[in-house]
Amino acid sequence: MNKIAERDVRSAKGTQPVASPISHEENLQSSFLDPDLDDLESGARLRGAILEQSGREISGWIVDTRSLTESVSLSLFVGSHAIEETRTDRAAPAGVGSGTAIGRPGFRIDLANPVARRRLARALRNTLADPGQTHIYLRVRLDDGEFFEIPLFDAIAPDELVVALGFSPSDYTDLLIPNNNRLITPDPDPAGKQVRHVCFYLPQFHSFEENDRWWGPGFTEWTNISRMRPQFPAHQSPWLPADLGFYDVRLTETRRQQAELARRYGIHGFCYYVYWFQGRRLLERPLELLLEDGEPDLPFCICWANENWSRRWDGSDAELLLGQNHALEDDVRFIDDMAQLLLDERYIKVDGRKIILVYRPSLLPDRQSLFDTWRARAKQLGIGEILICNAMTFGEFDPRDLSCDAAVEFPPHTVSTREQPLSELGAPESFTGKVYDYVDAVRSSLGKTYDFPYFPAVMPRWDNTPRKGSRGHVFNRSSPEAFEVWLRDAAGRARRGPFAEPIVFINSWNEWAEGAHLEPDSRYGRAFLEAVRRVASSEPISAQVRSNPDLLDCLSRQELEQAMKEASTHVQLLANIHRSEMVYSGLQHTRAGMPVEAEGAPENPAESLLVIENINSQTNERVVVDPRSVVLVRGWVCAGDAFEANKQRIAFLILLSTDSRKQDQNGYCLVVDWHERFDVKEYMRTKSSDCYFGFQLSFLVHDLPEGEYQIAVLEVGEGSRALIRSNHSIVIRR
C-alpha cells in the first residue's frame, strides 16, 4: 500500500498532498486534457489537482494511472468523521491535434447542502474539543482496495477553520439540532396580515382500478420514483422518501403523520386536486377518508384538475385514457358533488369566501353562466360565498378574461428562465429533455406584480424525469436556500396584495414524480421544510442564504449588511463551541461483549425477519469498513409473534464475530432511532398487531479487532426477548 495510505491520520501535518493545485490561469485545454499519455502513466499512482477548496465545495479532478478510464471513490473526512462521498466522472477519450488524450475526470463535493453542514457541525464540535490539530482530508479509494489520503487545510488554525467552513452563530444551533419539534406560531404582521402557506396535494399513492388497468397491478407514483436514474452529470437524481417512507394514503396513520409534519413546519393546509369527469371521480378515496376519519386534520381547499387524463401526464389529447367532455349541463353539477367538502368546517376561506381553484377554466364552455350558477347554488346549499380562482397555466393568467374572481400563480408556468444548453451540462445524446436554471427562475419572480387580484406561489424544485425519463424537464440548481429567498419574497407580495387573509401556495406537498415535494427525502431531508418554518415564524433569513454567492443579488441591503456583521462573530463562536451543551449526536461507541439481556434469548423465532437496507449507503451483504470511520446501518426488523406493535421495547444492534475462535470478541450498541415502518407493514400485508420496526444507527468500531462480524438485532420487550440474525456482515479492516 502507498505510504500516504499507511500513515496515521494525526501525522498528516508534515506530509504533502498527492495532487498539487493547477493555476486557474492555465489554458482550458491543458486543464482538462493530457495529450502526453506516456507522461501520465509514468507519474505516481494518482494524478490530479484540487481546483476549489472552500467551505462551500471541494472540487477538482483525479485519475488512477493504472486504470485511466475508470472512476474512483472519494470521501471527505474531518478527523474520524466521514462528511460526504462522491465518485469522479469517467474519463472519456478526446482528440487533441492528431492524437488522442484522456479527459481528466472531475469531482465535486458539495458542502453547502444542509445535510453536509450538519455533519460538519457535529464533526467540528467533537474534533475541536481535542487540543490536537484538526485534520481534514480526502480519502481516495481505488477499485483494487488501495486508498490514499490527501490532506486539506493543513496550515490553518482551528479558529480560522470554522470561518473557512462558513459557520455563523445564527444558524449553528439549527445545525446541531436539525429536527426542531416546536410548533410554529407565526408572528403577527405589522400590517395586520398573517400569511398562510397552503400546499398543493396529490391524492394518489394508493392503487385503484383505473391505474391497475392502465399501468399494471399495484401501480402508484412510487413505481415511477423507483425507476429514476440520473440523466446528466449534474442531475440531482434519484431521490427517495425519507421520514414517511413509501406510504399509502389510505392509511390513517400516514395522513396523521403528514398533518403533524406540516403543522410543525408552518404549513397552514393542503389544496387537494379533484379529478371529476362529468360526475365520475378518480383518486377520490383520500378525500372520502378526509371526511370519514378526519385525517389529515388540517385546513384544506380543492382544485378541480379539469384536464384530460392522458398517458403522457400532460392533459393533452394524445394517448387519451379518460377525456373531459365539458358541457354546461354537466359542469353545473360539480358544486353539488363537492358540497360535503365545501361544508366542512376546516375548508379554507379568504375574507369570508370559500376558495375554489379551477386548473384550466378556458376549457369550460360558457364560463360566466357556469360560475354564476355555482355561486347561486353555493348559497342555496349553505356553503356561502365562494371565491373562484384560475391557476395561471398555459398563458391564461388574467382572471377577468376567464370569468374568475382571482388568479393563483402556478410555477413553473409563471416563471421566466433560460434553457441551459445540454452540451454545457455534459448530457448524453439519449437525453432529449430540457433543463432550466432554477436560480434564474427565482430571480424572474422576485417582486413580480399583476394588475388583477392574485395569490403568489412558489415551487421547491421541478423535475418530471420520474414520469418522462430522458424526455423530462428539469430545473437545475434548485436548493433550500434559493427556495427560501423565493418564499420570503412571495410572502411579502401576498401581504401587499388586496386580500386581508393572504395565502402563498406551494407546488407542492407530495408531487414526487415531478420532483416538486416538500416531504422529506433522501437527498435534502427536511431542509425545504426548514425554509418554510423560518419564513412562517418570521425568523431572519438563514446564514446559508447570505453566504450563497449565487443569491447575493437577490438579497436586500439590510440582509447584506447582516451578512457582513456575522463574519466578525465567527471567532467568538469558536470559543463557545466546546462549552455548548446543546449538542445533538446519534454517534455511539461500540461496547465489547454482549448485553446481559441476550442470555437465553431465543434465536430467529418463527415469523421473525431482519432486513438490512444498507450499510454506509452500500447494499452489499459484506461491506468493508475502516475502523476510523463512522458506520451507518439502516434497516427494519420483525421479531415474530412474541411482540406486538403497541408494546414497549428496546433493541440492541449486535456484531457477532464469524470466527469461531473469537466468540468472546462480539460488540453491541443501543438502537436509539426506532420507529414503526407502516410502509413495510402495508407491503407485507400484515395484521394491525404485527410489529415491523425500522432503525438507523451510527457507531464507531475502532475498539473491535479486525475480522468479519455478522449483524443481528436483539429485541427486548415486555416479558419477551429475541435475537434475529441477518445475512449481512461488516468486515473491519485496518
Side-chain angles (χ1 to χ4, degrees), residues 31 76 105 142 161 207 244 307 360 514 565 567 582 595 683 698:
S31 292
L76 175 66
L142 309 179
L161 179 62
S207 60
L244 301 178
E307 286 189 314
R360 295 194 66 182
E514 292 179 344
K565 291 178 182 178
M582 299 182 65
Y683 176 77
S698 300

Side-chain angles (χ1 to χ4, degrees), residues 199-338:
C199 296
F200 288 102
Y201 184 104
L202 179 66
Q204 214 248 47
F205 304 104
H206 67 288
S207 60
F208 57 94
E209 179 184 349
E210 288 83 0
N211 258 3
D212 288 348
R213 184 169 64 251
W214 292 331
W215 303 98
F219 174 87
T220 71
E221 290 282 32
W222 298 131
T223 310
N224 288 327
I225 294 297
S226 67
R227 294 194 292 244
M228 289 179 65
R229 297 293 183 273
Q231 299 294 327
F232 49 89
H235 189 197
Q236 294 182 347
S237 171
W239 54 80
L240 297 171
D243 299 32
L244 301 178
F246 291 98
Y247 57 73
D248 187 319
V249 292
R250 293 171 297 189
L251 296 175
T252 302
E253 184 61 27
T254 290
R255 288 175 284 112
R256 182 180 295 124
Q257 289 175 330
Q258 288 178 323
E260 291 172 353
L261 196 62
R263 276 193 297 268
R264 183 176 299 165
Y265 289 93
I267 303 298
H268 176 72
F270 294 150
C271 180
Y272 292 89
Y273 291 112
V274 172
Y275 299 88
W276 188 87
F277 299 80
Q278 296 77 53
R280 179 181 178 183
R281 293 179 63 181
L282 294 180
L283 301 178
E284 74 280 4
R285 188 58 182 149
L287 282 168
E288 292 174 350
L289 292 170
L290 172 70
L291 298 175
E292 291 175 12
D293 62 20
E295 297 293 347
D297 185 17
L298 279 181
F300 70 91
C301 59
I302 59 173
C303 174
W304 182 18
N306 65 315
E307 286 189 314
N308 293 325
W309 193 289
S310 71
R311 187 172 291 275
R312 298 172 67 175
W313 309 99
D314 58 6
S316 67
D317 295 331
E319 299 185 75
L320 197 63
L321 298 175
L322 184 60
Q324 284 280 12
N325 300 308
H326 287 296
L328 181 61
E329 58 271 20
D330 291 327
D331 295 339
V332 292
R333 295 187 289 120
F334 178 80
I335 203 73
D336 286 78
D337 283 5
M338 299 297 116

